[in-house]
Amino acid sequence: MTESLHLTVAEVVRETADAHTLVFDAALPFAPGQFLTLRLPDGTARCYSLCCGPGERLMVTVKRVTGGHASNWICDNVAAGSVLEALPPSGVFTPRSPDGDFLLLAGGSGITPVLSILKTALARGRGRIVLVYANRDEESVIFAAALRELAAAHPDRLTVVHWLESVQGLPAAPRLASLLRPYQAYEAFVCGPGGFMDACCEALAGLGAARPKVERFVSLGGDPFAAPEPVEGAGGTLEAELDGSVTSHAWPEGTPLLDVLLAGGVEAPYSCREGACSACACRVVEGEVKMLANEVLDEADLSDGWVLACQAIPLTDHVRITYSEDPAAG
Ligand SMILES: Cc1cc2nc3c(=O)[nH]c(=O)nc-3n(C[C@H](O)[C@H](O)[C@H](O)COP(=O)(O)OP(=O)(O)OC[C@H]3O[C@@H](n4cnc5c(N)ncnc54)[C@H](O)[C@@H]3O)c2cc1C
């Protein structure tokens, strides 16, 4: 089972009236676009995307949700010196290489993973980056000053387009399409409220662009910090490669892949355990599985062999999977 971390908050930055950044006194390896899963003292677990770039301390930004349990608790209670339990960075909303042209589409708090991708691409890549950032009004723009500074420092590589609902109205697909047309060949990432993401996907599809990667900000239902259940029963076999080690397991029919690995003592990554977050994504390199639910992987991910371990059950007697990002691995 993945060991949880205890992260000390070094500083809390009030970004807007309802968004707080927690800066942790920690530097951990992460890929841009990944998230942490935080656990509140009452046991509630929620995912928050890292918004930091290379060389920065770990940071997440939490925006209050009206009536929301965790976001309001965090904004009301977490201060410098607070210690939060967390699962390590995970998720697949991340570019294969920082060295491409990126079209980044963010709405509201959806800016967080996008900012991490943006900072990493500027620091480590050479391509052009266009950020379209939609907000209700000027006061609700998180990271406005940081984005101004980045655009001023990289005028030839970064273009930031703000879309304010108070000025331009809702970002509907037809108007987005005209804005996005020149960048339809860029690698696109979309994160924000459901309606915004649907409009972006519709606009890109209408332009004949490749499907963007999307990250959905849902609340977890289960407890990803809980101990795994024992797994029993007849079935096939599973071989799993994680961090260079290969392990073999019996795989009882109908049992999710993640449960088999955790029961077998493998420290496989995961978070929501309900097909909503992609922390447990791995690739099938031999055999076949089917997923019981999948809210995050798109057609391109599926055709590359990605599956969600928490939802994958076996269709063949033998399955081999890898957690390596390298298509030649496994
Ligand atoms: C991969 C990932 C990354 C994320 N990154 C971020 C991030 O960077 N920043 C960020 O701010 N958020 C992020 N989120 C979202 C975050 O995890 C939470 O979902 C968000 O903070 C809301 O949680 P909450 O506990 O405050 O709200 P919840 O208590 O889960 O409530 C959400 C909404 O549902 C309503 N609701 C709750 N219970 C009921 C009920 N019984 N009946 C009807 N309505 C109900 C609430 O009123 C509220 O409007 C991310 C999510 C994921 C999956």
Side-chain angles (χ1 to χ4, degrees), residues 126-286:
R126 283 163 300 180
R128 283 192 52 82
I129 303 150
V130 174
L131 167 66
V132 177
Y133 184 16
N135 279 287
R136 210 172 37 237
D137 51 34
E138 210 171 331
E139 286 67 48
S140 45
V141 180
I142 309 174
F143 307 129
L147 287 169
R148 251 193 321 273
E149 280 166 30
L150 287 167
H154 302 273
D156 47 339
R157 292 189 54 209
L158 174 62
T159 306
V160 178
V161 180
H162 286 281
W163 185 301
L164 297 180
E165 200 185 311
S166 55
V167 179
Q168 287 139 291
L170 278 174
R175 289 172 62 206
L176 275 173
S178 335
L179 180 64
L180 307 185
R181 190 180 307 278
Y183 317 111
Q184 56 182 292
Y186 287 22
E187 192 177 341
F189 289 81
V190 185
C191 185
F196 171 76
M197 295 207 293
D198 292 347
C200 291
C201 292
E202 189 186 327
L204 288 168
L207 293 170
R211 266 178 71 100
K213 271 202 179 289
V214 297
E215 184 79 301
R216 293 190 187 276
F217 277 8
V218 291
S219 287
L220 303 181
D223 178 7
F225 293 82
E229 297 284 327
V231 163
E232 285 164 6
T237 55
L238 166 69
E239 251 183 297
E241 190 266 321
L242 173 66
D243 295 337
S245 313
V246 177
T247 50
S248 300
H249 310 264
W251 192 351
E253 230 173 278
T255 308
L257 167 54
L258 178 67
D259 295 12
V260 174
L261 294 175
L262 296 178
V266 176
E267 291 200 352
Y270 63 89
S271 184
C272 74
R273 301 185 83 164
E274 51 204 46
C277 83
S278 84
C280 63
C282 60
R283 281 183 312 112
V284 173
V285 287
E286 267 174 49

Side-chain angles (χ1 to χ4, degrees), residues 46-49 61 63 66 68-71 112 216-219:
R46 294 284 184 267
C47 304
Y48 292 100
S49 301
T61 300
K63 184 170 177 182
T66 311
H69 176 70
S71 57
T112 50
R216 293 190 187 276
F217 277 8
V218 291
S219 287

